[in-house]
Amino acid sequence: QVRISSHGRLGNYLAFLISREIIMITTERLMIKRINHDGDGQLAKLLADPTIQQGAHLLFSGPQPSSFEVDFLLQTGHFYAIYEQRCPGKIVGLLFTQPSELAGEGAVELGYFLAPACRGRGIMTEAVRGLTAQSTKLIVALTDKDNLASQRVLRRAGFQLVKQEDDQVLWE
């Protein structure tokens, strides 16, 4: 296990890596941990929110995803649960990366969502900054043209608009 600290213009971050894969990042207010199983059902509850399902383009068999559906989803990429340090047992959001077909080999595409009660407080911007500060790969993101909140997160986290086509915007 290797411990890496980063102090720079993006703030202070602490990451724990195993075999060059991030398993945990801490920021000023957050703990971001790699997750591959929804043992306590918190993620299923978060994913049951209709605004999250719509924004992330997720379709489940019912209004609340089954534990099988959530665990299957967690196998499609690298997923990171976001916790506030003041309440470390409650998942407030999720970051995820998967290989990108948009930016070539070695790049990953970033996705994320946050519980509605936690929006508007800079949590997701801080989480995205924490993840990107520790990544060794090119990270790109794709947003819907009308998802201005997600675009603000990316802009504040240091991403630049690369291309806009139809209803999608590509960030790098």
Side-chain angles (χ1 to χ4, degrees):
Q1 183 173 358
V2 178
R3 184 174 165 160
I4 296 178
S5 294
S6 173
H7 308 285
R9 68 175 182 83
L10 296 178
N12 298 327
Y13 303 98
L14 179 64
F16 294 89
L17 296 100
I18 293 180
S19 300
R20 300 179 55 100
E21 282 198 27
I22 298 169
I23 59 165
M24 187 173 87
I25 299 168
T26 59
T27 69
E28 186 177 323
R29 298 181 296 165
L30 307 173
M31 288 187 315
I32 304 162
K33 296 180 184 176
R34 178 83 187 269
I35 184 172
N36 57 22
H37 177 67
D38 187 26
D40 59 5
Q42 283 191 67
L43 196 50
K45 185 176 178 182
L46 186 63
L47 289 168
D49 184 281
T51 63
I52 289 174
Q53 288 184 21
Q54 181 181 11
H57 305 285
L58 295 171
L59 295 173
F60 298 110
S61 60
Q64 178 152 341
S66 68
S67 60
F68 172 79
E69 289 172 310
V70 174
D71 286 342
F72 181 80
L73 176 67
L74 292 174
Q75 301 312 308
T76 63
H78 292 139
F79 285 78
Y80 303 89
I82 302 168
Y83 304 85
E84 289 186 89
Q85 288 194 28
R86 65 187 174 114
C87 187
K90 183 178 178 191
I91 296 174
V92 298
L94 197 70
L95 291 165
F96 49 95
T97 62
Q98 59 189 23
S100 174
E101 297 175 8
L102 303 170
E105 193 171 325
V108 294
E109 185 175 340
L110 172 69
Y112 47 83
F113 52 82
L114 192 62
C118 298
R119 294 176 186 163
R121 298 181 12 221
I123 290 173
M124 190 52 71
T125 300
E126 186 173 328
V128 170
R129 283 179 179 161
L131 182 66
T132 57
Q134 300 304 327
S135 179
T136 59
K137 299 181 179 194
L138 171 64
I139 298 177
V140 299
L142 193 62
T143 63
D144 290 337
K145 186 177 175 181
D146 60 350
N147 190 342
L148 301 180
S150 186
Q151 292 175 29
R152 276 192 300 275
V153 165
L154 294 170
R155 209 174 274 117
R156 290 177 179 154
F159 282 71
Q160 301 293 317
L161 189 148
V162 174
K163 177 168 63 170
Q164 188 170 334
E165 285 185 11
D166 302 320
D167 293 337
Q168 303 273 289
V169 181
L170 178 63
W171 300 82
E172 193 173 283

